[in-house]
PDB file of all heavy atoms in Angstrom:
ATOM      1  N   LEU A 757      76.726 135.416 122.267  1.00  0.00           N
ATOM      2  CA  LEU A 757      77.740 134.729 123.066  1.00  0.00           C
ATOM      3  C   LEU A 757      78.327 133.614 122.217  1.00  0.00           C
ATOM      4  O   LEU A 757      77.584 132.810 121.638  1.00  0.00           O
ATOM      5  CB  LEU A 757      77.137 134.140 124.340  1.00  0.00           C
ATOM      6  CG  LEU A 757      78.111 133.359 125.238  1.00  0.00           C
ATOM      7  CD1 LEU A 757      77.822 133.634 126.713  1.00  0.00           C
ATOM      8  CD2 LEU A 757      78.029 131.845 124.974  1.00  0.00           C
ATOM      9  N   SER A 758      79.662 133.568 122.137  1.00  0.00           N
ATOM     10  CA  SER A 758      80.321 132.510 121.375  1.00  0.00           C
ATOM     11  C   SER A 758      81.337 131.808 122.252  1.00  0.00           C
ATOM     12  O   SER A 758      81.995 132.429 123.093  1.00  0.00           O
ATOM     13  CB  SER A 758      80.993 133.076 120.119  1.00  0.00           C
ATOM     14  OG  SER A 758      81.962 134.050 120.461  1.00  0.00           O
ATOM     15  N   VAL A 759      81.444 130.505 122.056  1.00  0.00           N
ATOM     16  CA  VAL A 759      82.420 129.670 122.757  1.00  0.00           C
ATOM     17  C   VAL A 759      83.236 128.957 121.683  1.00  0.00           C
ATOM     18  O   VAL A 759      82.689 128.175 120.901  1.00  0.00           O
ATOM     19  CB  VAL A 759      81.743 128.653 123.692  1.00  0.00           C
ATOM     20  CG1 VAL A 759      82.795 127.776 124.357  1.00  0.00           C
ATOM     21  CG2 VAL A 759      80.886 129.351 124.731  1.00  0.00           C
ATOM     22  N   ARG A 760      84.550 129.249 121.654  1.00  0.00           N
ATOM     23  CA  ARG A 760      85.409 128.676 120.616  1.00  0.00           C
ATOM     24  C   ARG A 760      86.511 127.846 121.266  1.00  0.00           C
ATOM     25  O   ARG A 760      87.197 128.316 122.186  1.00  0.00           O
ATOM     26  CB  ARG A 760      86.028 129.781 119.760  1.00  0.00           C
ATOM     27  CG  ARG A 760      86.986 129.269 118.672  1.00  0.00           C
ATOM     28  CD  ARG A 760      87.350 130.386 117.710  1.00  0.00           C
ATOM     29  NE  ARG A 760      88.071 131.459 118.385  1.00  0.00           N
ATOM     30  CZ  ARG A 760      89.405 131.501 118.544  1.00  0.00           C
ATOM     31  NH1 ARG A 760      90.154 130.498 118.104  1.00  0.00           N
ATOM     32  NH2 ARG A 760      89.973 132.529 119.144  1.00  0.00           N
ATOM     33  N   ASP A 761      86.659 126.607 120.794  1.00  0.00           N
ATOM     34  CA  ASP A 761      87.765 125.776 121.253  1.00  0.00           C
ATOM     35  C   ASP A 761      88.683 125.478 120.076  1.00  0.00           C
ATOM     36  O   ASP A 761      88.346 125.769 118.921  1.00  0.00           O
ATOM     37  CB  ASP A 761      87.250 124.475 121.884  1.00  0.00           C
ATOM     38  CG  ASP A 761      86.573 123.562 120.868  1.00  0.00           C
ATOM     39  OD1 ASP A 761      87.268 123.015 119.990  1.00  0.00           O
ATOM     40  OD2 ASP A 761      85.327 123.391 120.950  1.00  0.00           O
ATOM     41  N   GLU A 762      89.839 124.907 120.359  1.00  0.00           N
ATOM     42  CA  GLU A 762      90.809 124.574 119.315  1.00  0.00           C
ATOM     43  C   GLU A 762      91.081 123.071 119.326  1.00  0.00           C
ATOM     44  O   GLU A 762      92.206 122.616 119.093  1.00  0.00           O
ATOM     45  CB  GLU A 762      92.100 125.372 119.534  1.00  0.00           C
ATOM     46  CG  GLU A 762      91.889 126.882 119.469  1.00  0.00           C
ATOM     47  CD  GLU A 762      93.159 127.683 119.756  1.00  0.00           C
ATOM     48  OE1 GLU A 762      94.256 127.079 119.714  1.00  0.00           O
ATOM     49  OE2 GLU A 762      93.049 128.897 119.998  1.00  0.00           O
ATOM     50  N   GLY A 763      90.023 122.321 119.603  1.00  0.00           N
ATOM     51  CA  GLY A 763      90.160 120.881 119.772  1.00  0.00           C
ATOM     52  C   GLY A 763      90.004 120.098 118.494  1.00  0.00           C
ATOM     53  O   GLY A 763      90.385 120.533 117.410  1.00  0.00           O
ATOM     54  N   ILE A 764      89.357 118.922 118.615  1.00  0.00           N
ATOM     55  CA  ILE A 764      89.296 117.975 117.490  1.00  0.00           C
ATOM     56  C   ILE A 764      88.326 118.399 116.399  1.00  0.00           C
ATOM     57  O   ILE A 764      88.384 117.903 115.277  1.00  0.00           O
ATOM     58  CB  ILE A 764      88.924 116.571 118.006  1.00  0.00           C
ATOM     59  CG1 ILE A 764      87.548 116.605 118.681  1.00  0.00           C
ATOM     60  CG2 ILE A 764      89.981 116.040 118.956  1.00  0.00           C
ATOM     61  CD1 ILE A 764      87.055 115.237 119.099  1.00  0.00           C
ATOM     62  N   GLY A 765      87.399 119.318 116.705  1.00  0.00           N
ATOM     63  CA  GLY A 765      86.427 119.758 115.702  1.00  0.00           C
ATOM     64  C   GLY A 765      85.349 118.724 115.438  1.00  0.00           C
ATOM     65  O   GLY A 765      85.306 117.654 116.055  1.00  0.00           O
ATOM     66  N   ILE A 766      84.476 119.056 114.505  1.00  0.00           N
ATOM     67  CA  ILE A 766      83.333 118.189 114.172  1.00  0.00           C
ATOM     68  C   ILE A 766      83.396 117.868 112.682  1.00  0.00           C
ATOM     69  O   ILE A 766      83.545 118.776 111.856  1.00  0.00           O
ATOM     70  CB  ILE A 766      81.994 118.886 114.487  1.00  0.00           C
ATOM     71  CG1 ILE A 766      81.963 119.325 115.960  1.00  0.00           C
ATOM     72  CG2 ILE A 766      80.805 117.986 114.175  1.00  0.00           C
ATOM     73  CD1 ILE A 766      80.783 120.213 116.297  1.00  0.00           C
ATOM     74  N   PRO A 767      83.296 116.606 112.285  1.00  0.00           N
ATOM     75  CA  PRO A 767      83.309 116.253 110.856  1.00  0.00           C
ATOM     76  C   PRO A 767      82.217 117.021 110.096  1.00  0.00           C
ATOM     77  O   PRO A 767      81.121 117.257 110.615  1.00  0.00           O
ATOM     78  CB  PRO A 767      83.031 114.749 110.849  1.00  0.00           C
ATOM     79  CG  PRO A 767      83.504 114.281 112.195  1.00  0.00           C
ATOM     80  CD  PRO A 767      83.209 115.408 113.141  1.00  0.00           C
ATOM     81  N   HIS A 768      82.535 117.414 108.870  1.00  0.00           N
ATOM     82  CA  HIS A 768      81.583 118.214 108.073  1.00  0.00           C
ATOM     83  C   HIS A 768      80.240 117.507 107.938  1.00  0.00           C
ATOM     84  O   HIS A 768      79.186 118.148 108.024  1.00  0.00           O
ATOM     85  CB  HIS A 768      82.175 118.486 106.683  1.00  0.00           C
ATOM     86  CG  HIS A 768      83.352 119.407 106.698  1.00  0.00           C
ATOM     87  ND1 HIS A 768      83.274 120.715 107.119  1.00  0.00           N
ATOM     88  CD2 HIS A 768      84.653 119.193 106.349  1.00  0.00           C
ATOM     89  CE1 HIS A 768      84.465 121.287 107.022  1.00  0.00           C
ATOM     90  NE2 HIS A 768      85.328 120.382 106.559  1.00  0.00           N
ATOM     91  N   GLU A 769      80.266 116.196 107.713  1.00  0.00           N
ATOM     92  CA  GLU A 769      79.000 115.484 107.488  1.00  0.00           C
ATOM     93  C   GLU A 769      78.144 115.413 108.749  1.00  0.00           C
ATOM     94  O   GLU A 769      76.924 115.188 108.668  1.00  0.00           O
ATOM     95  CB  GLU A 769      79.268 114.072 106.962  1.00  0.00           C
ATOM     96  CG  GLU A 769      80.040 113.162 107.912  1.00  0.00           C
ATOM     97  CD  GLU A 769      81.544 113.288 107.771  1.00  0.00           C
ATOM     98  OE1 GLU A 769      82.018 114.284 107.160  1.00  0.00           O
ATOM     99  OE2 GLU A 769      82.248 112.397 108.272  1.00  0.00           O
ATOM    100  N   ASP A 770      78.736 115.603 109.921  1.00  0.00           N
ATOM    101  CA  ASP A 770      77.974 115.530 111.172  1.00  0.00           C
ATOM    102  C   ASP A 770      77.443 116.881 111.629  1.00  0.00           C
ATOM    103  O   ASP A 770      76.543 116.941 112.480  1.00  0.00           O
ATOM    104  CB  ASP A 770      78.850 114.947 112.289  1.00  0.00           C
ATOM    105  CG  ASP A 770      79.180 113.474 112.067  1.00  0.00           C
ATOM    106  OD1 ASP A 770      78.404 112.822 111.333  1.00  0.00           O
ATOM    107  OD2 ASP A 770      80.191 112.997 112.603  1.00  0.00           O
ATOM    108  N   GLN A 771      77.982 117.977 111.084  1.00  0.00           N
ATOM    109  CA  GLN A 771      77.596 119.302 111.567  1.00  0.00           C
ATOM    110  C   GLN A 771      76.102 119.609 111.386  1.00  0.00           C
ATOM    111  O   GLN A 771      75.491 120.202 112.281  1.00  0.00           O
ATOM    112  CB  GLN A 771      78.459 120.375 110.901  1.00  0.00           C
ATOM    113  CG  GLN A 771      79.908 120.328 111.362  1.00  0.00           C
ATOM    114  CD  GLN A 771      80.782 121.384 110.692  1.00  0.00           C
ATOM    115  OE1 GLN A 771      80.313 122.453 110.334  1.00  0.00           O
ATOM    116  NE2 GLN A 771      82.069 121.065 110.529  1.00  0.00           N
ATOM    117  N   PRO A 772      75.460 119.232 110.263  1.00  0.00           N
ATOM    118  CA  PRO A 772      74.027 119.540 110.132  1.00  0.00           C
ATOM    119  C   PRO A 772      73.155 118.837 111.181  1.00  0.00           C
ATOM    120  O   PRO A 772      72.043 119.276 111.447  1.00  0.00           O
ATOM    121  CB  PRO A 772      73.679 119.049 108.720  1.00  0.00           C
ATOM    122  CG  PRO A 772      74.979 119.024 107.980  1.00  0.00           C
ATOM    123  CD  PRO A 772      76.000 118.654 109.013  1.00  0.00           C
ATOM    124  N   ARG A 773      73.666 117.728 111.792  1.00  0.00           N
ATOM    125  CA  ARG A 773      72.849 116.956 112.718  1.00  0.00           C
ATOM    126  C   ARG A 773      73.248 117.156 114.177  1.00  0.00           C
ATOM    127  O   ARG A 773      72.709 116.495 115.064  1.00  0.00           O
ATOM    128  CB  ARG A 773      72.962 115.462 112.376  1.00  0.00           C
ATOM    129  CG  ARG A 773      72.523 115.101 110.964  1.00  0.00           C
ATOM    130  CD  ARG A 773      72.687 113.613 110.682  1.00  0.00           C
ATOM    131  NE  ARG A 773      71.935 112.790 111.610  1.00  0.00           N
ATOM    132  CZ  ARG A 773      72.489 111.935 112.457  1.00  0.00           C
ATOM    133  NH1 ARG A 773      73.808 111.790 112.504  1.00  0.00           N
ATOM    134  NH2 ARG A 773      71.735 111.217 113.283  1.00  0.00           N
ATOM    135  N   VAL A 774      74.196 118.072 114.418  1.00  0.00           N
ATOM    136  CA  VAL A 774      74.773 118.136 115.749  1.00  0.00           C
ATOM    137  C   VAL A 774      73.770 118.584 116.807  1.00  0.00           C
ATOM    138  O   VAL A 774      73.930 118.282 117.993  1.00  0.00           O
ATOM    139  CB  VAL A 774      76.018 119.063 115.727  1.00  0.00           C
ATOM    140  CG1 VAL A 774      75.610 120.529 115.694  1.00  0.00           C
ATOM    141  CG2 VAL A 774      76.931 118.777 116.900  1.00  0.00           C
ATOM    142  N   PHE A 775      72.684 119.274 116.392  1.00  0.00           N
ATOM    143  CA  PHE A 775      71.687 119.740 117.359  1.00  0.00           C
ATOM    144  C   PHE A 775      70.498 118.776 117.469  1.00  0.00           C
ATOM    145  O   PHE A 775      69.511 119.094 118.144  1.00  0.00           O
ATOM    146  CB  PHE A 775      71.182 121.134 116.991  1.00  0.00           C
ATOM    147  CG  PHE A 775      72.226 122.209 117.157  1.00  0.00           C
ATOM    148  CD1 PHE A 775      72.847 122.769 116.043  1.00  0.00           C
ATOM    149  CD2 PHE A 775      72.595 122.649 118.415  1.00  0.00           C
ATOM    150  CE1 PHE A 775      73.810 123.749 116.189  1.00  0.00           C
ATOM    151  CE2 PHE A 775      73.555 123.631 118.573  1.00  0.00           C
ATOM    152  CZ  PHE A 775      74.174 124.178 117.456  1.00  0.00           C
ATOM    153  N   GLU A 776      70.558 117.639 116.792  1.00  0.00           N
ATOM    154  CA  GLU A 776      69.475 116.666 116.899  1.00  0.00           C
ATOM    155  C   GLU A 776      69.614 115.872 118.198  1.00  0.00           C
ATOM    156  O   GLU A 776      70.719 115.698 118.718  1.00  0.00           O
ATOM    157  CB  GLU A 776      69.495 115.719 115.701  1.00  0.00           C
ATOM    158  CG  GLU A 776      69.205 116.403 114.378  1.00  0.00           C
ATOM    159  CD  GLU A 776      69.253 115.439 113.212  1.00  0.00           C
ATOM    160  OE1 GLU A 776      69.298 114.207 113.467  1.00  0.00           O
ATOM    161  OE2 GLU A 776      69.259 115.903 112.057  1.00  0.00           O
ATOM    162  N   ARG A 777      68.490 115.385 118.687  1.00  0.00           N
ATOM    163  CA  ARG A 777      68.543 114.589 119.913  1.00  0.00           C
ATOM    164  C   ARG A 777      69.243 113.257 119.662  1.00  0.00           C
ATOM    165  O   ARG A 777      69.164 112.711 118.561  1.00  0.00           O
ATOM    166  CB  ARG A 777      67.138 114.373 120.470  1.00  0.00           C
ATOM    167  CG  ARG A 777      66.306 113.364 119.746  1.00  0.00           C
ATOM    168  CD  ARG A 777      64.910 113.271 120.341  1.00  0.00           C
ATOM    169  NE  ARG A 777      64.084 114.383 119.910  1.00  0.00           N
ATOM    170  CZ  ARG A 777      62.893 114.671 120.426  1.00  0.00           C
ATOM    171  NH1 ARG A 777      62.426 113.953 121.428  1.00  0.00           N
ATOM    172  NH2 ARG A 777      62.182 115.678 119.970  1.00  0.00           N
ATOM    173  N   PHE A 778      69.935 112.794 120.685  1.00  0.00           N
ATOM    174  CA  PHE A 778      70.670 111.527 120.674  1.00  0.00           C
ATOM    175  C   PHE A 778      71.870 111.547 119.731  1.00  0.00           C
ATOM    176  O   PHE A 778      72.429 110.496 119.431  1.00  0.00           O
ATOM    177  CB  PHE A 778      69.772 110.336 120.316  1.00  0.00           C
ATOM    178  CG  PHE A 778      68.484 110.301 121.087  1.00  0.00           C
ATOM    179  CD1 PHE A 778      67.292 109.979 120.454  1.00  0.00           C
ATOM    180  CD2 PHE A 778      68.448 110.596 122.440  1.00  0.00           C
ATOM    181  CE1 PHE A 778      66.097 109.936 121.156  1.00  0.00           C
ATOM    182  CE2 PHE A 778      67.262 110.559 123.144  1.00  0.00           C
ATOM    183  CZ  PHE A 778      66.077 110.231 122.512  1.00  0.00           C
ATOM    184  N   VAL A 779      72.250 112.736 119.243  1.00  0.00           N
ATOM    185  CA  VAL A 779      73.418 112.836 118.369  1.00  0.00           C
ATOM    186  C   VAL A 779      74.542 113.506 119.142  1.00  0.00           C
ATOM    187  O   VAL A 779      74.382 114.621 119.647  1.00  0.00           O
ATOM    188  CB  VAL A 779      73.099 113.652 117.085  1.00  0.00           C
ATOM    189  CG1 VAL A 779      74.365 113.854 116.263  1.00  0.00           C
ATOM    190  CG2 VAL A 779      72.037 112.936 116.257  1.00  0.00           C
ATOM    191  N   ARG A 780      75.665 112.820 119.239  1.00  0.00           N
ATOM    192  CA  ARG A 780      76.814 113.382 119.935  1.00  0.00           C
ATOM    193  C   ARG A 780      77.758 114.029 118.937  1.00  0.00           C
ATOM    194  O   ARG A 780      77.898 113.561 117.797  1.00  0.00           O
ATOM    195  CB  ARG A 780      77.542 112.289 120.728  1.00  0.00           C
ATOM    196  CG  ARG A 780      76.741 111.804 121.924  1.00  0.00           C
ATOM    197  CD  ARG A 780      77.442 110.682 122.639  1.00  0.00           C
ATOM    198  NE  ARG A 780      77.448 109.456 121.823  1.00  0.00           N
ATOM    199  CZ  ARG A 780      78.102 108.372 122.159  1.00  0.00           C
ATOM    200  NH1 ARG A 780      78.824 108.352 123.276  1.00  0.00           N
ATOM    201  NH2 ARG A 780      78.051 107.292 121.398  1.00  0.00           N
ATOM    202  N   ALA A 781      78.396 115.136 119.364  1.00  0.00           N
ATOM    203  CA  ALA A 781      79.295 115.858 118.462  1.00  0.00           C
ATOM    204  C   ALA A 781      80.381 114.943 117.941  1.00  0.00           C
ATOM    205  O   ALA A 781      80.763 115.004 116.772  1.00  0.00           O
ATOM    206  CB  ALA A 781      79.898 117.068 119.182  1.00  0.00           C
ATOM    207  N   VAL A 782      80.895 114.081 118.799  1.00  0.00           N
ATOM    208  CA  VAL A 782      81.854 113.050 118.386  1.00  0.00           C
ATOM    209  C   VAL A 782      81.327 111.728 118.922  1.00  0.00           C
ATOM    210  O   VAL A 782      81.029 111.601 120.106  1.00  0.00           O
ATOM    211  CB  VAL A 782      83.260 113.338 118.942  1.00  0.00           C
ATOM    212  CG1 VAL A 782      84.217 112.210 118.563  1.00  0.00           C
ATOM    213  CG2 VAL A 782      83.786 114.669 118.411  1.00  0.00           C
ATOM    214  N   SER A 783      81.187 110.755 118.025  1.00  0.00           N
ATOM    215  CA  SER A 783      80.446 109.549 118.395  1.00  0.00           C
ATOM    216  C   SER A 783      81.260 108.534 119.187  1.00  0.00           C
ATOM    217  O   SER A 783      80.703 107.564 119.678  1.00  0.00           O
ATOM    218  CB  SER A 783      79.903 108.872 117.118  1.00  0.00           C
ATOM    219  OG  SER A 783      80.980 108.551 116.248  1.00  0.00           O
ATOM    220  N   GLU A 784      82.577 108.744 119.323  1.00  0.00           N
ATOM    221  CA  GLU A 784      83.360 107.758 120.054  1.00  0.00           C
ATOM    222  C   GLU A 784      82.874 107.638 121.489  1.00  0.00           C
ATOM    223  O   GLU A 784      82.606 108.618 122.168  1.00  0.00           O
ATOM    224  CB  GLU A 784      84.855 108.135 120.049  1.00  0.00           C
ATOM    225  CG  GLU A 784      85.556 107.831 118.728  1.00  0.00           C
ATOM    226  CD  GLU A 784      85.340 108.934 117.705  1.00  0.00           C
ATOM    227  OE1 GLU A 784      84.563 109.858 118.010  1.00  0.00           O
ATOM    228  OE2 GLU A 784      85.926 108.876 116.617  1.00  0.00           O
ATOM    229  N   ARG A 785      82.794 106.386 121.977  1.00  0.00           N
ATOM    230  CA  ARG A 785      82.250 106.103 123.299  1.00  0.00           C
ATOM    231  C   ARG A 785      83.091 106.744 124.409  1.00  0.00           C
ATOM    232  O   ARG A 785      82.571 107.140 125.445  1.00  0.00           O
ATOM    233  CB  ARG A 785      82.171 104.587 123.500  1.00  0.00           C
ATOM    234  CG  ARG A 785      81.666 104.141 124.863  1.00  0.00           C
ATOM    235  CD  ARG A 785      80.205 104.554 125.069  1.00  0.00           C
ATOM    236  NE  ARG A 785      79.318 103.890 124.169  1.00  0.00           N
ATOM    237  CZ  ARG A 785      78.766 102.690 124.399  1.00  0.00           C
ATOM    238  NH1 ARG A 785      79.059 102.021 125.490  1.00  0.00           N
ATOM    239  NH2 ARG A 785      77.935 102.165 123.531  1.00  0.00           N
ATOM    240  N   ASN A 786      84.427 106.910 124.175  1.00  0.00           N
ATOM    241  CA  ASN A 786      85.267 107.404 125.260  1.00  0.00           C
ATOM    242  C   ASN A 786      84.988 108.859 125.617  1.00  0.00           C
ATOM    243  O   ASN A 786      85.439 109.337 126.653  1.00  0.00           O
ATOM    244  CB  ASN A 786      86.758 107.236 124.912  1.00  0.00           C
ATOM    245  CG  ASN A 786      87.136 107.952 123.621  1.00  0.00           C
ATOM    246  OD1 ASN A 786      86.478 107.767 122.615  1.00  0.00           O
ATOM    247  ND2 ASN A 786      88.196 108.722 123.657  1.00  0.00           N
ATOM    248  N   TYR A 787      84.228 109.572 124.755  1.00  0.00           N
ATOM    249  CA  TYR A 787      83.870 110.946 125.097  1.00  0.00           C
ATOM    250  C   TYR A 787      82.606 111.002 125.942  1.00  0.00           C
ATOM    251  O   TYR A 787      82.299 112.016 126.548  1.00  0.00           O
ATOM    252  CB  TYR A 787      83.697 111.797 123.833  1.00  0.00           C
ATOM    253  CG  TYR A 787      85.027 112.220 123.242  1.00  0.00           C
ATOM    254  CD1 TYR A 787      85.553 111.540 122.152  1.00  0.00           C
ATOM    255  CD2 TYR A 787      85.742 113.274 123.779  1.00  0.00           C
ATOM    256  CE1 TYR A 787      86.769 111.915 121.605  1.00  0.00           C
ATOM    257  CE2 TYR A 787      86.961 113.667 123.242  1.00  0.00           C
ATOM    258  CZ  TYR A 787      87.469 112.977 122.160  1.00  0.00           C
ATOM    259  OH  TYR A 787      88.683 113.352 121.636  1.00  0.00           O
ATOM    260  N   GLY A 788      81.840 109.962 125.968  1.00  0.00           N
ATOM    261  CA  GLY A 788      80.664 109.894 126.833  1.00  0.00           C
ATOM    262  C   GLY A 788      79.559 110.853 126.402  1.00  0.00           C
ATOM    263  O   GLY A 788      79.635 111.563 125.407  1.00  0.00           O
ATOM    264  N   GLY A 789      78.484 110.852 127.215  1.00  0.00           N
ATOM    265  CA  GLY A 789      77.361 111.751 126.965  1.00  0.00           C
ATOM    266  C   GLY A 789      76.198 111.052 126.304  1.00  0.00           C
ATOM    267  O   GLY A 789      76.353 110.062 125.584  1.00  0.00           O
ATOM    268  N   LEU A 790      74.993 111.591 126.562  1.00  0.00           N
ATOM    269  CA  LEU A 790      73.770 111.013 125.995  1.00  0.00           C
ATOM    270  C   LEU A 790      73.440 111.568 124.618  1.00  0.00           C
ATOM    271  O   LEU A 790      72.522 111.083 123.964  1.00  0.00           O
ATOM    272  CB  LEU A 790      72.585 111.286 126.939  1.00  0.00           C
ATOM    273  CG  LEU A 790      72.623 110.600 128.302  1.00  0.00           C
ATOM    274  CD1 LEU A 790      71.421 111.044 129.128  1.00  0.00           C
ATOM    275  CD2 LEU A 790      72.621 109.092 128.139  1.00  0.00           C
TER     276      LEU A 790
END
């Protein structure tokens, strides 16, 4: 199953850590999330 969007994407340097706890795909506060 794949889910593809055409949005802002994820910076290359953040992609290896995107599945770690407390790491948000985009760190800006206005996107929210834990």
Side-chain angles (χ1 to χ4, degrees):
L757 178 141
S758 59
V759 178
R760 178 169 63 88
D761 67 69
E762 299 177 16
I764 61 175
I766 304 171
H768 291 297
E769 63 273 16
D770 292 337
Q771 291 179 30
R773 301 179 58 243
V774 77
F775 291 106
E776 295 179 11
R777 76 183 78 191
F778 312 138
V779 175
R780 290 177 291 173
V782 177
S783 59
E784 283 83 354
R785 178 65 65 87
N786 58 309
Y787 282 100
L790 294 177

